[in-house]
Amino acid sequence: MPDDVVFVSRYDQRVALIRDALKAETGLTESACHALAVRLLHLIDEAPEKVRR
């Protein structure tokens, strides 16, 4: 019987990537890292392309 496939959105993958980097480099808790990752990702997504490069 095949394993169940769990869908993980690209957004959730990006949040997890940022969260894990914050957790590895700071002394913040998991929930604080997650909240900061969501905020950072929102700011990056809202920045114009010229600013991101």
Side-chain angles (χ1 to χ4, degrees):
M1 188 176 230
D3 293 333
D4 291 337
V5 177
V6 177
F7 176 76
V8 180
S9 70
R10 297 271 302 176
Y11 173 79
D12 289 336
Q13 291 174 359
R14 293 170 70 201
V15 168
L17 181 69
I18 296 169
R19 182 197 64 223
D20 294 345
L22 288 170
K23 190 170 181 187
E25 299 296 327
T26 66
L28 298 173
T29 64
E30 178 93 20
S31 60
C33 288
H34 181 79
L36 186 55
V38 169
R39 179 75 175 131
L40 286 171
L41 186 55
H42 176 73
L43 291 172
I44 291 168
D45 286 345
E46 292 296 315
E49 181 117 11
K50 287 183 180 180
V51 174
R52 286 188 256 166
R53 292 183 181 233

